[in-house]
Amino acid sequence: MPDTETATPPRTVEGSDGLLLEIDGQIVPNYDATLVPFEEGDVVSGKVVRIDQDEVLVDIGYKSEGVIPMNELSIRKSVDPHDEVELGEEVDALVLTKEDQDGRLVLSKKRARFEKAWRKIEAAAESGEPVEGTVIEVVKGGLIIDLGVRGFLPASLVDIRRVQNLDEFLGTKIECKVIELNRSRNNVVLSRRAVLEEERKEVRQQILDRLQPGMVVEGAISNIVDFGAFVDLDGIDGLIHISELSWSHVNHPSEILSIGDVVPVKVLDIDRERQRISLGLKQTQEDPWQRVIDTYRIGDELEGKVTKVVTFGAFVEIMDGVEGLVHISELAHHHVENPREIVEPGQDVRVKILEIDSERRRLSLSVKRVEEQLPHIRSAAEAGAAAAAEAGNGQEIGDVPDLGLSEDVFAGPSISGADALRAALPEQEAPAEAAAPPAPDEAAGEQALESAAETAPSEEARAAAADEAAAEEAASPAAEEAAAPEQGPEPASPDQDEEQPAEE
């Protein structure tokens, strides 16, 4: 067999950085050395060589240029490729597919940036350092920040105070702290307020050290809520409770304040540990109660306005910030069931001062004791009194059974001949014992008298009247004759036979 030549293995030419090979004594280019080794999912770098409307071509040193589709350029929606990259710019891209069905190398710029940004965000979340990004969207409830990933900044954490118009932040770069991170959901929650509060922490402490209770300072209204208003004191907020806004009643702070108003306030209390300041606005204004004490006396009559009507009376404002109570018993001389029978909220009324309690800051007033009351109040009181009188006259005490008694029974001690009859009764006691039983009409009269005496309002007066009436009726022939037609003929008693000739 003939000897076979042994092939010399290729050798890298020194100083060529592996780009030249020596094969069988000949120097040839090493094309494989120009190719960058990578796998799908790796992040590679390349130069932008072409920009189209729907894609960007990047030379990463592979056998063909890589393609970045438009939807893989940025996390923003509907972007122009020319706004994202420039020709000749070095960009990082993540390898999605080394060779698709068309033989193209498919890359993603936004995913490469996402991976790089996520590592940076994780490091910032651990260290507490802020991250910087651009506001790219205003959504319901907050802002979207471009950090390489989409970060969400809630509206309540955009500033120390609530921001009314979030659109003013669109397109601006801001620093935020990462307060929540979830890789599985690609969720990043940010807070710009945390950065601002940290910057103002030293300023807040200086303000707290400078302020003392009792001081009067100026501040701007930064926010209004149902329970009061917040005041910005050059770096720290204090609260004016709704009860400290005015000497008069306030339904809502927006009635007297607006955001941005600069007002003088008095420092009421400072909680230095919790960094909270309580402020008062009404303390910077004249106390109307001092004017009441200096101006009015008990018995003075003045005009006011009804502010509120309640079940037990009505409140009347006699000057700004000062109200007094007119008790329901002081509204009219007659009985009043409902104060609205006499007064209504918003009506003018004249009142008389009954009591001034300066310690409890209370006024007792009267409407009915005013000598010259306003016409509409006087008319209402007169109408109420007339209605009460009419209702009293029409009252019934109930059905009383007919006892068959004459009017003389209820005439009382004024019955004529009562004394003479009372003196004559002892003389006829003996004949009366032997006489026949009393006539039915007399027995009925006695029972009726006993029943009437039991139901009479005054026992003593009615008992005396009943005795006298019974004696009068027993001795009177007129009563006997009046009862005879109803009862029919009856045998006359011996007493009656003896009395008739004497009377004739």
Side-chain angles (χ1 to χ4, degrees):
M1 290 180 61
D3 295 336
T4 57
E5 293 187 10
T6 303
T8 304
R11 183 176 63 85
T12 302
V13 177
E14 294 182 2
S16 65
D17 295 330
L19 297 178
L20 297 176
L21 294 177
E22 181 180 353
I23 301 176
D24 296 335
Q26 294 182 358
I27 297 176
V28 295
N30 183 9
Y31 295 106
D32 292 337
T34 62
L35 300 178
V36 178
F38 59 85
E39 299 295 334
E40 292 182 356
D42 291 348
V43 176
V44 296
S45 297
K47 183 180 294 187
V48 177
V49 295
R50 182 176 173 180
I51 302 176
D52 293 332
Q53 290 297 324
D54 56 350
E55 63 184 15
V56 173
L57 299 183
V58 180
D59 181 9
I60 64 169
Y62 193 53
K63 59 183 180 181
S64 62
E65 287 85 3
V67 178
I68 304 177
M70 187 180 67
N71 61 352
E72 295 294 336
L73 273 175
S74 173
I75 61 173
R76 305 187 190 192
K77 299 176 181 179
S78 303
V79 296
D80 186 348
H82 293 86
D83 295 335
E84 290 295 321
V85 294
E86 297 178 355
L87 284 174
E89 179 184 354
E90 289 284 341
V91 296
D92 293 331
L94 184 139
V95 179
L96 297 179
T97 306
K98 293 186 72 173
E99 188 173 349
D100 66 358
Q101 59 184 3
D102 296 328
R104 302 183 307 169
L105 171 65
V106 182
L107 308 175
S108 173
K109 177 177 178 290
K110 73 174 184 181
R111 301 194 190 193
R113 187 165 176 253
F114 178 91
E115 293 296 331
K116 184 177 179 180
W118 194 266
R119 290 192 292 268
K120 182 180 178 180
I121 292 170
E122 286 179 331
E126 292 178 2
S127 64
E129 294 293 323
V131 293
E132 186 179 67
T134 303
V135 180
I136 58 175
E137 287 182 47
V138 177
V139 295
K140 182 179 181 180
L143 303 172
I144 300 298
I145 313 297
D146 182 5
L147 302 172
V149 299
R150 291 171 66 88
F152 177 65
L153 175 59
S156 60
L157 300 179
V158 172
D159 206 332
I160 294 177
R161 298 184 295 273
R162 183 81 178 183
V163 178
Q164 302 297 326
N165 183 18
L166 294 176
D167 291 332
E168 62 187 20
F169 288 91
L170 193 61
T172 61
K173 286 188 176 182
I174 57 176
E175 283 191 340
C176 304
K177 281 194 172 185
V178 180
I179 59 174
E180 186 178 334
L181 196 62
N182 190 325
R183 178 62 190 265
S184 62
R185 298 170 57 189
N186 291 335
N187 187 29
V188 180
V189 181
L190 308 170
S191 173
R192 179 172 176 261
R193 179 176 179 174
V195 175
L196 297 177
E197 286 183 341
E198 188 171 332
E199 293 175 352
R200 299 174 67 175
K201 187 175 181 180
E202 295 182 1
V203 178
R204 290 167 62 93
Q205 190 59 47
Q206 292 175 2
I207 295 174
L208 285 173
D209 294 340
R210 175 172 54 86
L211 291 177
Q212 297 296 331
M215 293 179 62
V216 177
V217 294
E218 278 194 349
I221 303 299
S222 57
N223 195 18
I224 294 177
V225 291
D226 291 340
F227 55 84
F230 289 95
V231 182
D232 183 6
L233 303 176
D234 296 330
I236 186 171
D237 280 357
L239 172 65
I240 308 175
H241 192 266
I242 189 171
S243 62
E244 303 296 338
L245 286 173
S246 175
W247 293 108
S248 58
H249 177 72
V250 177
N251 292 316
H252 195 273
S254 59
E255 294 177 1
I256 58 176
L257 293 175
S258 300
I259 294 177
D261 290 350
V262 177
V263 294
V265 290
K266 185 174 183 178
V267 180
L268 303 181
D269 188 31
I270 301 176
D271 187 342
R272 301 187 187 278
E273 292 183 359
R274 302 170 67 188
Q275 293 192 342
R276 293 188 176 181
I277 304 173
S278 298
L279 305 173
L281 178 62
K282 70 181 183 182
Q283 287 78 4
T284 63
Q285 304 165 355
E286 181 185 5
D287 185 355
W289 259 99
Q290 190 60 44
R291 292 170 53 197
V292 172
I293 296 172
D294 296 340
T295 306
Y296 298 110
R297 297 291 180 268
I298 294 176
D300 289 352
E301 294 185 4
L302 61 157
E303 192 168 319
K305 184 181 290 294
V306 179
T307 58
K308 186 189 299 184
V309 178
V310 291
T311 55
F312 53 85
F315 289 93
V316 177
E317 186 179 46
I318 62 172
M319 66 171 59
D320 291 340
V322 179
E323 291 181 350
L325 172 65
V326 180
H327 192 264
I328 189 172
S329 61
E330 293 294 334
L331 285 172
H333 292 283
H334 64 278
H335 177 69
V336 178
E337 290 287 345
N338 188 345
R340 291 183 180 270
E341 298 173 8
I342 309 299
V343 294
E344 292 286 346
Q347 283 185 336
D348 293 330
V349 62
R350 286 188 62 80
V351 293
K352 187 173 185 177
I353 299 177
L354 302 181
E355 182 184 359
I356 301 176
D357 189 342
S358 57
E359 293 183 359
R360 301 170 67 189
R361 305 172 74 90
R362 291 184 178 180
L363 272 178
S364 296
L365 307 174
S366 174
V367 171
K368 72 179 184 181
R369 306 192 192 195
V370 175
E371 295 181 1
E372 296 183 2
Q373 187 53 265
L374 299 181
H376 60 278
I377 303 296
R378 186 170 61 250
S379 299
E382 291 174 353
E390 183 179 352
N393 293 335
Q395 289 182 350
E396 297 182 356
I397 61 174
D399 295 334
V400 178
D402 185 9
L403 302 177
L405 302 179
S406 66
E407 294 296 332
D408 295 337
V409 174
F410 301 99
S414 62
I415 299 176
S416 61
D419 295 336
L421 289 172
R422 192 177 294 110
L425 285 176
E427 299 177 359
Q428 298 191 13
E429 286 180 354
E433 291 177 357
D441 59 333
E442 294 176 354
E446 290 175 0
Q447 293 177 359
L449 290 173
E450 290 175 1
S451 176
E454 290 175 358
T455 59
S458 174
E459 295 181 0
E460 296 178 0
R462 292 297 176 87
D467 292 341
E468 295 173 358
E472 181 75 19
E473 186 175 358
S476 174
E480 182 180 348
E481 293 174 0
E486 298 178 4
Q487 301 293 334
E490 301 244 351
S493 66
D495 293 341
Q496 292 172 342
D497 294 338
E498 294 174 0
E499 290 173 359
Q500 286 177 358
E503 290 177 356
E504 292 177 357

